[in-house]
Amino acid sequence: MDVLTKIPVKEQEAKVRATNFDEVCLGYELEEAMKEAERCINCKNARCIQGCPVSINIPAFIQEVKAGNIEKAYQIISESSALPAVCGRVCPQETQCEGVCIRGIKGDAVSIGKLERFVADWACKQGIKPEGAKEKNGKKVAVIGSGPAGLTCAGDLARMGYDVTIFEALHEAGGVLVYGIPEFRLPKIDVVAKEIENVKSLGVKIETNVVVGKSVTIDELLNEEGFDAVFIGSGAGLPKFMGIPGENANGVFSANEYLTRSNLMKSFDLSSPTPIMRGKKVAVIGGGNVAMDAARTALRLGAETHIVYRRSEEELPARVEEVHHAKEEGIIFDLLTNPTEILVDENGWVSGMKCVKMELGEPDASGRRRPVVKADSEFVMDVDTVIMSLGTSPNPLISSTTEGLEINKWQCIVADEEFGKTSKEGVYAGGDAVTGAATVILAMGAGKAGAKGIDEYLKNK
Amino acid sequence: MYKIIRAEELTTNIYLMDVEAPRVAKRCEPGQFVIVRTDENGERIPLTICDYDREKGTITIVFQTVGAETFKMASMKEGDYFHDFVGPLGRPSDLVEEDIEELKKKKIVFIAGGVGTAPVYPQVKWLHEKGIDCDVIVGAKNKDLLILEKEMKAVATNLYVTTDDGSYGRSGMVTTTLESLVKEEGKEYDHCVAIGPMIMMKFVALLTKKLEIPTIVSLNPIMVDGTGMCGACRVTVGDQIKFACVDGPEFDGHLVDFDEAMKRQQLYKTAEGRAFLKAKEGDTHHGGCGNCD
């Protein structure tokens, strides 16, 4: 065996998967996983653990995989992560654990993500649950939002013995895992729902249809409903638009709306009562992971799909793997291109999109070269649907209804990194509500920090 | 799950339900709305809150069957459950937040059209309970489609009913009545609230602009989550883009771009129509009618 090369993972063929919503990556079999595990040299000073935002004991679980003790491997991962089947699929491992793997210096890094996924899927199939708390401590914690930050925080606290209730605004738990990330990257029934069941099996209660700030306030949770502490993991917030003419035309959507319709409301399935516009030519504006998800969804709904991004390929913020998958499936990348106007027909529908070509100038504050408009480069793209994937701004629902909760100039909740502590006593926060839009695993890291902070606070209270 | 305590058909295709939703009933104010789902696969349907009982923990909703999902809702009976019922969403009516003494000095007129009569009712009731006078104009297509007349009469200072076909009360559109009240019957108003079909609100706003009466309208655009996350409900108000779910649903009627809002409401008409036929007739509609592809 060539130890420098990772065991390849099977994927659905690009042409086939471009027409369905089934999962793209098929994952390892036991034998493949054990073989890949052998490539781990079990470093004493394991850099991968430091590279993991939730500090999973990676070499330890991989050693168990190598020996075929998958259940033991699962319990090791579960000590640090409530959502291993999710993380194995959507974490940017290439910049975290795998990015610092010694194997990666000469050859491929160990496929830590794919191994984690294998272990979690195997445990799920065997019906193995994470180990819960030995005894309850009688203290009540409210967690706002059931996305990656909230689920992680709730799971950790429940394992410490706290009585945890999660409040979710939507009708289904999971946050971005159910409304944002598409089925073909993260199956909802087989993966997300199962991991949420695991969190519930630790004793966590989930109350859906509660919009904190509207249905109930944080002060009411603390003063009237008997909660001893609150963790806010309410997520990213309101979609941004470009502010160009024609943006309210029929056929212009935020990526949030488009993905929520397809993922949460299942409108990719024609039997869903919630409609989605099935355009013929779709332009997705933006270059992040959400843009890739929206584009690959539009492609699967039958559209010729373009990614329109104002910088060049090198600056695309999306994961390399996502860009690679998108290209394989037939997404057309119109780089160094920026929309200036949505053209609208007499009935209010999108009839095209005016764009200009860009070129890269001097680096800006973000360190990336600033795109500048190329003279006389205006042209019209023939599209009937435009999806804006430009990021989000924080939702003021909670900050505006909670006395004494400090926010920064970007309207994000101010919380310290180590413990998620906010300016209000007993209130902790983490995830996109604090950092602005980031990744699942960073939100999980913040959920962990929040749990640690709440535990410290309540132990000393 | 949220239990239906009372369900009745007010008139053809318009239904009223009281639903147990203690969290919503505890905090809601006039002007706010809820989102409901009939079952675990249902669409999220936004509905304005029509009444509430804080002690019983119930919310009253009134809806008209317009598509497959409301058609399904109409078949639900007392004792059945909504799978989901979330709220209160949106901002309360501005009236609720104003000073009571200031409100007493105001000459307020409400204009309700069709099923829009239902969301007008809690506002009028709220004012009535605070001892504040207000007139109400209710418009309906015909006598049979008039709803909540008795309830409205009990809380309005003066109630003017008008029907498009003259089958009951005055004859003609609500705008005809308003114009007549102001120009010929010596009425003076300095605040107007209009809730009804988009086209009615548009023409009321055009008239009240001429009559120089500040006017609030309540919009019901397409929305998904109702918490600001999707932006489907964006509407142009003056030179700004607002999200009806978090910035509204009430806006200054003189600033709303109604033509754009009406076009946006048409977005899924074909898809909705197809779903409605399927719900009503089973799997009989396969295209080819020329209206859908």
Side-chain angles (χ1 to χ4, degrees), chain A residues 7 51 189 201 309 329 338 356 364 452:
Chain A
I7 304 289
I189 295 170
S201 78
Y309 180 58
E329 288 165 11
N338 203 28
V356 285
D364 63 13
K452 202 164 65 178

Side-chain angles (χ1 to χ4, degrees), chain A residues 108-129:
Chain A
D108 295 336
V110 175
S111 289
I112 301 168
K114 302 288 186 281
L115 287 174
E116 180 186 26
R117 170 190 159 148
F118 167 76
V119 170
D121 287 358
W122 184 91
C124 174
K125 262 188 226 134
Q126 306 295 318
I128 294 162
K129 300 274 172 197

Side-chain angles (χ1 to χ4, degrees), chain A residues 129-429:
Chain A
K129 300 274 172 197
E131 283 164 14
K134 298 276 179 298
E135 57 190 273
K136 295 263 173 201
N137 63 22
K139 288 181 181 156
K140 277 176 73 179
V141 181
V143 170
I144 301 163
S146 63
L151 287 172
T152 300
C153 184
D156 276 15
L157 287 167
R159 261 198 301 268
M160 295 173 196
Y162 290 93
D163 177 3
V164 186
T165 304
I166 300 182
F167 295 98
E168 167 56 45
L170 289 169
H171 56 259
E172 202 175 316
V176 74
L177 309 176
V178 296
Y179 77 73
I181 303 176
E183 183 73 20
F184 53 83
R185 277 218 292 139
L186 189 61
K188 304 301 162 226
I189 295 170
D190 290 340
V191 177
V192 180
K194 293 270 167 59
E195 300 237 297
I196 292 171
E197 278 311 313
N198 284 347
V199 173
K200 279 178 159 174
S201 78
L202 297 169
V204 172
K205 285 163 278 192
I206 302 181
E207 192 181 335
T208 52
N209 295 322
V210 181
V211 182
V212 174
K214 288 287 179 187
S215 314
V216 66
T217 63
I218 286 181
D219 290 294
E220 284 170 332
L221 289 173
L222 289 168
N223 303 328
E224 293 172 28
E225 299 202 15
F227 288 99
D228 300 297
V230 175
F231 176 80
I232 306 169
S234 54
L238 283 52
K240 286 184 191 159
F241 289 88
M242 293 187 78
I244 57 174
E247 253 180 326
N248 278 4
N250 286 353
V252 183
F253 305 93
S254 72
N256 266 10
E257 178 186 358
Y258 194 74
L259 289 169
T260 301
R261 283 180 182 275
S262 183
N263 302 332
L264 175 72
M265 305 312 294
K266 314 263 178 272
S267 44
F268 69 85
D269 182 345
L270 280 169
S271 69
S272 166
T274 304
I276 190 165
M277 187 163 149
R278 291 163 189 260
K280 293 189 172 67
K281 276 194 173 184
V282 175
V284 178
I285 319 302
N289 288 319
V290 176
M292 298 305 139
D293 284 345
R296 294 171 70 195
T297 297
L299 179 95
R300 283 162 171 78
L301 291 173
E304 175 190 308
T305 308
H306 298 248
I307 287 274
V308 176
Y309 180 58
R310 63 195 181 119
R311 301 181 197 248
S312 73
E313 173 143 8
E314 211 173 297
E315 290 85 14
L316 280 171
R319 285 182 69 193
V320 174
E321 182 179 323
E322 301 307 324
V323 176
H324 169 73
H325 277 150
K327 280 188 175 166
E328 268 186 350
E329 288 165 11
I331 307 265
I332 301 154
F333 282 71
D334 293 304
L335 302 167
L336 291 166
T337 303
N338 203 28
T340 53
E341 182 182 352
I342 314 284
L343 304 175
V344 189
D345 73 11
E346 69 277 12
N347 295 317
W349 294 79
V350 173
S351 61
M353 183 169 74
K354 213 182 260 179
C355 298
V356 285
K357 293 303 255 178
M358 312 293 281
E359 53 197 356
L360 293 179
E362 294 299 306
D364 63 13
S366 74
R368 299 181 298 181
R369 291 174 66 195
R370 181 194 298 278
V372 287
V373 178
K374 233 181 185 168
D376 304 319
S377 63
E378 191 173 276
F379 69 103
V380 172
M381 255 181 103
D382 173 26
V383 292
D384 59 13
T385 308
V386 179
I387 299 170
M388 295 293 176
S389 181
L390 310 162
T392 56
S393 59
N395 196 326
L397 268 183
I398 288 176
S399 54
S400 66
T401 55
T402 310
E403 201 78 29
L405 187 66
E406 198 190 324
I407 51 175
N408 64 21
K409 64 176 172 179
W410 299 281
Q411 313 290 310
C412 292
I413 296 168
V414 178
D416 77 21
E417 231 173 272
E418 204 183 345
F419 296 109
K421 192 169 160 37
T422 70
S423 58
K424 189 176 171 74
E425 194 192 328
V427 179
Y428 294 73

Side-chain angles (χ1 to χ4, degrees), chain B residues 40-98:
Chain B
E40 59 178 352
N41 298 312
E43 191 175 0
R44 293 172 67 91
I45 309 286
L47 294 167
T48 311
I49 294 170
C50 296
D51 205 353
Y52 49 88
D53 186 324
R54 300 215 199 275
E55 268 165 37
K56 284 192 202 144
T58 58
I59 295 290
T60 305
I61 51 171
V62 171
F63 60 92
Q64 191 162 19
T65 49
V66 288
E69 289 295 292
T70 42
F71 185 68
K72 205 156 73 184
M73 268 167 68
S75 71
M76 294 167 76
K77 295 178 190 61
E78 195 179 302
D80 288 349
Y81 290 83
F82 277 97
H83 196 276
D84 299 287
F85 197 100
V86 59
L89 301 168
R91 294 175 46 235
S93 164
D94 282 342
L95 288 175
V96 178
E97 271 147 28
E98 256 182 73

Side-chain angles (χ1 to χ4, degrees), chain B residues 38-173:
Chain B
T38 52
D39 56 45
E40 59 178 352
N41 298 312
E43 191 175 0
R44 293 172 67 91
I45 309 286
L47 294 167
T48 311
I49 294 170
C50 296
D51 205 353
Y52 49 88
D53 186 324
R54 300 215 199 275
E55 268 165 37
K56 284 192 202 144
T58 58
I59 295 290
T60 305
I61 51 171
V62 171
F63 60 92
Q64 191 162 19
T65 49
V66 288
E69 289 295 292
T70 42
F71 185 68
K72 205 156 73 184
M73 268 167 68
S75 71
M76 294 167 76
K77 295 178 190 61
E78 195 179 302
D80 288 349
Y81 290 83
F82 277 97
H83 196 276
D84 299 287
F85 197 100
V86 59
L89 301 168
R91 294 175 46 235
S93 164
D94 282 342
L95 288 175
V96 178
E97 271 147 28
E98 256 182 73
D99 181 65
I100 300 289
E101 293 312 310
E102 286 302 307
L103 278 179
K104 281 186 177 162
K105 289 182 213 153
K106 276 196 172 168
K107 298 183 199 71
I108 307 169
V109 61
F110 282 88
I111 302 182
V115 74
T117 310
V120 163
Y121 174 69
Q123 300 202 21
V124 178
K125 185 181 160 193
W126 187 90
L127 291 172
H128 177 73
E129 282 167 353
K130 305 277 182 294
I132 300 159
D133 286 338
C134 68
D135 286 358
V136 180
I137 302 171
V138 171
K141 268 205 178 106
N142 56 51
K143 182 170 188 266
D144 291 340
L145 293 177
L146 184 65
I147 56 167
L148 302 172
E149 187 192 8
K150 197 173 71 198
E151 289 84 350
M152 200 67 96
K153 207 168 215 163
V155 290
T157 309
N158 295 293
L159 174 66
Y160 307 96
V161 174
T162 178
T163 50
D164 294 4
D165 65 354
S167 55
Y168 187 73
R170 297 177 178 227
S171 177
M173 304 290 170

